[in-house]
Amino acid sequence: MTISYTLKVANARFGGFSKLLFRWKGSIYKLLYKEFLVFVALYSLLSVTYRLMLSEDQKRHFEEVALYCNKYTDLIPISFLLGFYVNLIISRWWGQYTNIPLPDQLMCVVSSNVHGADEKGRLLRRTLIRFANLSSVLILRSVSTRVLKRFPTMEHIVEAGFMTHEELKKFESLSSDYNKYWIPCVWFTNMIAQARRDGRVRDDVALKLLMDELNKYRAKCSMLFHYDWISVPLVYTQVVTIAVYSFFAFCLIGRQFLDPSRKHAGHSLDMYVPLFTLLQFFSYFGWLKVAEQIINPFGEDDDDFETNRLIDRNLQVSLLSVDDMYQNLPPMEKDKYWD
Amino acid sequence: MTISYTLKVANARFGGFSKLLFRWKGSIYKLLYKEFLVFVALYSLLSVTYRLMLSEDQKRHFEEVALYCNKYTDLIPISFLLGFYVNLIISRWWGQYTNIPLPDQLMCVVSSNVHGADEKGRLLRRTLIRFANLSSVLILRSVSTRVLKRFPTMEHIVEAGFMTHEELKKFESLSSDYNKYWIPCVWFTNMIAQARRDGRVRDDVALKLLMDELNKYRAKCSMLFHYDWISVPLVYTQVVTIAVYSFFAFCLIGRQFLDPSRKHAGHSLDMYVPLFTLLQFFSYFGWLKVAEQIINPFGEDDDDFETNRLIDRNLQVSLLSVDDMYQNLPPMEKDKYWD
Amino acid sequence: MTISYTLKVANARFGGFSKLLFRWKGSIYKLLYKEFLVFVALYSLLSVTYRLMLSEDQKRHFEEVALYCNKYTDLIPISFLLGFYVNLIISRWWGQYTNIPLPDQLMCVVSSNVHGADEKGRLLRRTLIRFANLSSVLILRSVSTRVLKRFPTMEHIVEAGFMTHEELKKFESLSSDYNKYWIPCVWFTNMIAQARRDGRVRDDVALKLLMDELNKYRAKCSMLFHYDWISVPLVYTQVVTIAVYSFFAFCLIGRQFLDPSRKHAGHSLDMYVPLFTLLQFFSYFGWLKVAEQIINPFGEDDDDFETNRLIDRNLQVSLLSVDDMYQNLPPMEKDKYWD
Amino acid sequence: MTISYTLKVANARFGGFSKLLFRWKGSIYKLLYKEFLVFVALYSLLSVTYRLMLSEDQKRHFEEVALYCNKYTDLIPISFLLGFYVNLIISRWWGQYTNIPLPDQLMCVVSSNVHGADEKGRLLRRTLIRFANLSSVLILRSVSTRVLKRFPTMEHIVEAGFMTHEELKKFESLSSDYNKYWIPCVWFTNMIAQARRDGRVRDDVALKLLMDELNKYRAKCSMLFHYDWISVPLVYTQVVTIAVYSFFAFCLIGRQFLDPSRKHAGHSLDMYVPLFTLLQFFSYFGWLKVAEQIINPFGEDDDDFETNRLIDRNLQVSLLSVDDMYQNLPPMEKDKYWD
Amino acid sequence: MTISYTLKVANARFGGFSKLLFRWKGSIYKLLYKEFLVFVALYSLLSVTYRLMLSEDQKRHFEEVALYCNKYTDLIPISFLLGFYVNLIISRWWGQYTNIPLPDQLMCVVSSNVHGADEKGRLLRRTLIRFANLSSVLILRSVSTRVLKRFPTMEHIVEAGFMTHEELKKFESLSSDYNKYWIPCVWFTNMIAQARRDGRVRDDVALKLLMDELNKYRAKCSMLFHYDWISVPLVYTQVVTIAVYSFFAFCLIGRQFLDPSRKHAGHSLDMYVPLFTLLQFFSYFGWLKVAEQIINPFGEDDDDFETNRLIDRNLQVSLLSVDDMYQNLPPMEKDKYWD
């Protein structure tokens, strides 16, 4: 489920964002707690080992290694890497959202340019807009795990009413090794061309308008496919991941509290709990988790796009507007400010 | 109220931006003073406790903790986090502003392409442009707390003259679980299709023009809805917030002035007031407040968009231009540079 | 006056940008010298006080304060703040420039689609293009101090030939509390609609073309208005300003040369002139001045847009092309490469 | 082969990106292992030399040089350089991908606007869409080494069915020193102009639609050419490369473990394997490798675009949709939600 | 000459970018060697002076100054300044390239919509496309030093065949104080309006198509002019330049090797050649040189745009396609995959 929270912080008040911290759903805590527990467990294990199980000599060695680790962890440039990487992921994430095809423009155009209040006219408008919806379902099925779960086979799409059996047969008779989401779009264009011949689309300009809107709709489907096919270069993701993971692996050792009696610089205090390291873990790992969560916004994370809800909304709304609302206008009345 | 101040700094003069510092409305002081007072209070409390209430032994402990905190606060990467985060919020903020639907283009097109100086013609033009305004009111009502306060129920929208009772009835007869802002847009398109049949829209090209402009208008409504629905991932906001809050929590301890007689490095001076920490508080917390204020620019902050004013302006201006100004032209005269 | 200097650095030669340093007009020196003098004066004052007027005891206190200040000025994150802030201002600056409405596209379209070599035709074309120019003057008057100075009242606009008295009367008869720059645009659209009826615009497609171009033109006017109305959030500007100002306020103290005989770390040398601090002043304050200068590019800074010159150019060029150049073509001849 | 991995990280789970680390194909390991081995070899060589082959005196010298190197490597600003540089390369990489011409829009338009179910009609539609595909093959051949390998001569293009022998003859009769990818586009436009005269394109609006889509298609071909011609300024790439290479060259010396008995600061521990330096090597060199891999995404890297696959897909899909699917519609049936 | 090198790094191989380092043309070495020599000379001079010519007392003074300089050079924020500045320059550079007007779209449209195989038809098409080319020559002449050298006077443009003498006379009869590149565009629009009347442009839609494409072409000319007129604010360039220059001026002193026998911290080694400072010089100054080279990409640098070559290409290609290729199509044949 998408987490919309901006309404809660509509006004910048005292405390502001702090009220966003006490949530579980979609929160950093939920995303990060497992990694956090593992980190804490490993840290404790090492801590206990150092304090209780090592001989004095081993302790001296451990201390040297710890000092060495602490000193050099800073060499790993994770702020820069994460800053630029997350920036990239965020801009792709928004790009993906804005390319989810919505039939709103198309349905306005179909509703007002494909004429005929008779059954054939209704059927034509409904079929056209159904084709558009079908195309988006086909593409979303290939990019979104949620939608694939809902429609594991083409049969499920037919059952859900996006396609008739005849259409499925025709669809499958066209063999291609590649994603066939574009087929309903071609049907759409051929069907409006035929509707133009039958006079149900009244003029060439309207035909062009329908064609233009269909093309915009199809372009969005296409972009979704490409965002899915062309991931951020794997190498980039790996570099960032290795940097963050290894940083904290070394923190396990380097941030141990060493025996204050040994007078190591910066180790005059034994607090047992490495508060700052944990905080740093939250900041950097949390930042990485932002990327993990949205690198594929079509998954099943709390904050991923609700594609199934969108599919339902689109079908409902688009059938409503091309059928029930066709030439079904409220009576014109003088408005309040008339004269 | 939107704070427009660029006119005051139109020219880069001596002092420049400094004159912007002495303002209360929409200022950082107004936004931040509560947090600032809390921070100061807590700092003072700790300071007093340390100076007056702790035993010598406890003081030594406190000093060690303070030194430890001061040393490690730098591990939290708030500059990077805030820099990239605020950048993102700002670009969404401007994106939201530029997607507020304005009827200006539509009203030009309606005024010059929907004909008839008779009452029916006037009624038609007024109704069309009213539908566009209605659509934007419906969407703004769902994203802006100010507009929702102004129009808590649909009845209020009718009273304000954006809708007639008949239209409301029709509107409510169309049941959908989703936001119905698109309904007046479908009415608009069906109404111009009818006007085309009646000859009030004289040709197919004009019809397409009207349809195109309506679609652009509707697309903006739709974007506003999506900006509202899809917030910046909650995790990102939480990570930034936790980083900033915990940074200053630790500053409360780490930036205490320790007894100079103890000769702790960097603590040879007791200034009582931690000027630099306060300044840092202003810088970082102020930066975060920028984000807090504009993450939802449809709230009631001093600097949020004046949506209600825009709604009034849009209705007034658009009725004026499609009705009073229809074919109401100044006489053509030779201009000053004629020959 | 806009400062165009890229021609001088067209080729990357030895020294390169260094030749840009010896200029006064639009230079950092001109913008910054007052602040610089104040900074130097205050620094000298403090320096003299410390060296000559303080008792030994007071000196010791001053030194401690200075060391403290010097150590903590680094806590203020001005690089990050300035980097992101100036980036934002620059992108808005270019956005504003590219939205200054230019009549070039419109004049091409008017010149070739509004027909009639008779006086009425000339009058029509001139009036249309004058309306477009008028609209841009109205909007520039509301955003640019230079243009407002040139046209303090509507009467001045009439005198300058952008408007006739009749038009002004009509303009003022339309009462609206909001900026009325859109009125000439509505006149334009109504006038071409009438020209279509009179056959001076020969077909619907040409009418649409005229309408489309007018809408693009109007959209730019509208964007200028919005850039002016919605400033960068005041809070952001204040945070940056406070950070930079307070940074240098503390530098006044922290960067004083302390008595070398006191052996303070990093104070073994007394150079009297704090070269690096002055350089830092130039860098950071200069960076801030970039923002100050272009946050409102419609002011009267050396580097602000020459709006008045643009207004003159636009009127001259557009009248020339719709009137003198109408169907006034050079004879067609075979070109040099014919066969 | 493009590496699509986002499906594997659709949900942010425990471990998250860590599962991406165990891959070879397209991985950072595969890209970097050679450089890594060279670095390790050189480091070991130096290490062995220092430990075993130098005299005491030489060791002292070496230690001084090493300390010096270690201290000053930080002067090289590689984080900043790499951050901004990779950012630039990534945005060009995506720009290139989105400009690969796909015939989907064009094929919809051809399929529904170029009429005639007879052989001539089929031939016309097939030829038109083949011209579009030919144009993209010509341009991809000039930018992609993979495509050039597949079609080393024009003859290969003919054999692959993108061109007939007659067309090749005509193509070669047009002599130009520049890339001639635009020729099939001009053929396309002339052929639809002729089809309009023959009535196979039924109206002017359809002609314009075809022309518009062809122009968009051609513009993408053109952009690919320009991305190829205008590389990121060589100087930028060189500066970044020199910085990274020299940084690690100096690390070879500066990060040697010096004899702990010499008590050099930060050299109290001899770990033999410079873990952090290797990690830093992975981070920075990996970051540079991201740029290396995608600066020309038309090469033969694991993660480069699969241009040959796209070419096949485009031809198959576009012939299918303009020929087999022409007016070949599934029968209209009432959908599931009818009434 | 533009330096296209991406083909050489199409595949990320061992060594990768390193092969780009051994080039002279367009390289950082060629751009930077003069500055580098000056820097080395000054450094050596100072070094020799310090070592050989100063008295012991003066040496002590010099050392103190050098230590002071070395410590404070870090105060100058050149990484941040250069990072954000070069980013800006690069995005303008690409913006300028993509706005160079290319006649490709226009020539497709002219070739297929301006009819007549007779001499008049040929003349018309050639003249139209020549006007477009003329317009781009006029604008490039005003922004590019290379093009201005090629066409120092209007007479040269006539001789090169872009303009006839008659056209030049008409051109000069239109007096305007501003750049007149738009005149051939107005001629173009008036000429197609006339061609429409003569029936050579067969319908209104084709006329609109021609007009639209001409407008896009003109808009690019206009953008080039504006990029040239509105430089990056001079102040920004000055701030960056001053920062970099003064940084290295102080490095001359601060990075001198001081007498190791004086035991200054970090000066235990005398290497004579300040390798890291030279490397830093390469990195930072090289970064600045990137900006210097592309701030005006219409100059005569190795990596500047080859505007003259583009002008030739455009004329040749556009005449070819509107004349020789007009209705000159290869015969339609069945393709390889027919049935």
Side-chain angles (χ1 to χ4, degrees), chain A residues 159 170 226 229 237 245 300, chain D residues 4-5 11 15 97 328 336:
Chain A
E159 263 160 51
K170 187 70 95 183
H226 293 307
W229 195 28
T237 305
Y245 276 71
E300 293 167 280
Chain D
S4 307
Y5 60 87
N11 303 328
Y97 184 71
N328 180 2
K336 210 179 139 185

Side-chain angles (χ1 to χ4, degrees), chain C residues 76-334:
Chain C
I76 308 171
I78 48 179
S79 304
F80 273 91
L81 271 170
L82 277 170
F84 283 104
Y85 180 73
V86 172
N87 213 23
L88 170 67
I89 299 293
I90 290 257
S91 74
R92 284 177 69 92
W93 163 77
W94 188 246
Q96 278 170 287
Y97 183 72
T98 51
N99 276 302
I100 295 179
L102 297 176
D104 295 54
Q105 311 237 132
L106 205 52
M107 79 198 189
C108 284
V109 174
V110 168
S111 176
S112 57
N113 284 293
V114 181
H115 293 289
D118 56 340
E119 183 165 290
K120 182 123 192 264
R122 282 184 64 201
L123 193 54
L124 181 61
R125 282 192 302 279
R126 285 179 81 100
T127 307
L128 284 172
I129 210 71
R130 203 161 44 68
F131 282 163
N133 278 291
L134 174 57
S135 196
S136 74
V137 168
L138 290 175
I139 200 71
L140 284 169
R141 206 174 150 254
S142 81
V143 302
S144 164
T145 49
R146 281 181 183 174
V147 179
L148 188 59
K149 274 192 190 163
R150 179 170 168 192
F151 304 113
T153 67
M154 292 302 291
E155 216 33 68
H156 286 82
I157 297 179
V158 173
E159 262 159 53
F162 286 94
M163 208 174 192
T164 65
H165 279 98
E166 284 301 312
E167 285 158 14
L168 179 58
K169 231 180 283 169
K170 187 70 96 183
F171 182 84
E172 287 181 340
S173 74
L174 295 161
S175 64
S176 167
D177 318 334
Y178 310 98
N179 194 313
K180 296 196 286 183
Y181 72 90
W182 50 271
I183 289 181
C185 293
V186 178
W187 288 343
F188 185 106
T189 55
N190 275 282
M191 193 169 274
I192 52 171
Q194 201 172 300
R196 173 74 192 93
R197 274 193 303 274
D198 302 351
R200 288 186 178 272
V201 173
R202 291 212 180 113
D203 55 78
D204 312 333
V205 180
L207 186 69
K208 177 167 190 302
L209 188 60
L210 284 157
M211 210 76 93
D212 279 344
E213 287 303 331
L214 190 268
N215 261 341
K216 281 185 215 157
Y217 188 84
R218 203 209 52 75
K220 289 192 166 188
C221 293
S222 170
M223 275 311 287
L224 278 197
F225 176 74
H226 293 307
Y227 269 115
D228 187 60
W229 195 29
I230 305 293
S231 314
V232 168
L234 175 62
V235 181
Y236 205 170
T237 305
Q238 283 184 327
V239 165
V240 174
T241 309
I242 289 176
V244 174
Y245 275 70
S246 57
F247 179 85
F248 286 106
F250 287 114
C251 279
L252 284 177
I253 303 172
R255 299 283 172 77
Q256 292 289 344
F257 290 98
L258 305 182
D259 186 353
S261 68
R262 301 290 305 168
K263 306 270 180 237
H264 293 295
H267 286 272
S268 54
L269 187 69
D270 186 347
M271 299 190 69
Y272 299 95
V273 180
L275 264 180
F276 288 99
T277 305
L278 297 182
L279 215 57
Q280 215 180 9
F281 188 86
F282 250 88
S283 306
Y284 284 124
F285 234 97
W287 214 355
L288 185 68
K289 278 284 168 190
V290 173
E292 266 184 41
Q293 193 189 30
I294 67 182
I295 197 171
N296 188 339
F298 293 106
E300 292 168 281
D301 291 327
D302 284 352
D303 217 351
D304 281 346
F305 304 147
E306 295 179 69
T307 32
N308 281 325
R309 202 175 124 90
L310 268 173
I311 286 174
D312 292 337
R313 184 257 173 200
N314 287 346
L315 187 66
Q316 197 209 56
V317 155
S318 56
L319 286 182
L320 201 63
S321 61
V322 300
D323 193 356
D324 302 45
M325 293 181 72
Y326 175 69
Q327 288 188 5
N328 180 2
L329 284 166
M332 274 205 287
E333 276 176 83
K334 292 184 183 171

Side-chain angles (χ1 to χ4, degrees), chain A residues 129-147:
Chain A
I129 210 71
R130 204 162 41 71
F131 282 163
N133 279 290
L134 174 57
S135 198
S136 74
V137 168
L138 290 174
I139 200 71
L140 284 170
R141 207 174 149 253
S142 82
V143 303
S144 163
T145 49
R146 281 180 183 174
V147 179

Side-chain angles (χ1 to χ4, degrees), chain C residues 336-337, chain E residues 130 133-139 141 147-148 150-165 167-168 171 315:
Chain C
K336 209 178 140 187
Y337 304 105
Chain E
R130 205 161 42 69
N133 278 289
L134 175 57
S135 196
S136 74
V137 168
L138 290 174
I139 199 71
R141 207 174 149 253
V147 179
L148 188 59
R150 179 171 169 191
F151 306 112
T153 67
M154 292 301 291
E155 217 32 69
H156 286 81
I157 296 179
V158 173
E159 261 160 52
F162 287 93
M163 208 174 191
T164 65
H165 279 99
E167 285 159 13
L168 180 56
F171 183 84
L315 188 65

Side-chain angles (χ1 to χ4, degrees), chain D residues 259-290:
Chain D
D259 186 352
S261 68
R262 301 290 307 168
K263 307 270 180 234
H264 294 295
H267 285 271
S268 54
L269 188 70
D270 186 346
M271 298 190 68
Y272 300 95
V273 180
L275 266 179
F276 290 99
T277 305
L278 296 182
L279 214 57
Q280 214 180 10
F281 187 86
F282 250 87
S283 305
Y284 284 124
F285 233 98
W287 213 356
L288 185 67
K289 278 284 167 189
V290 174

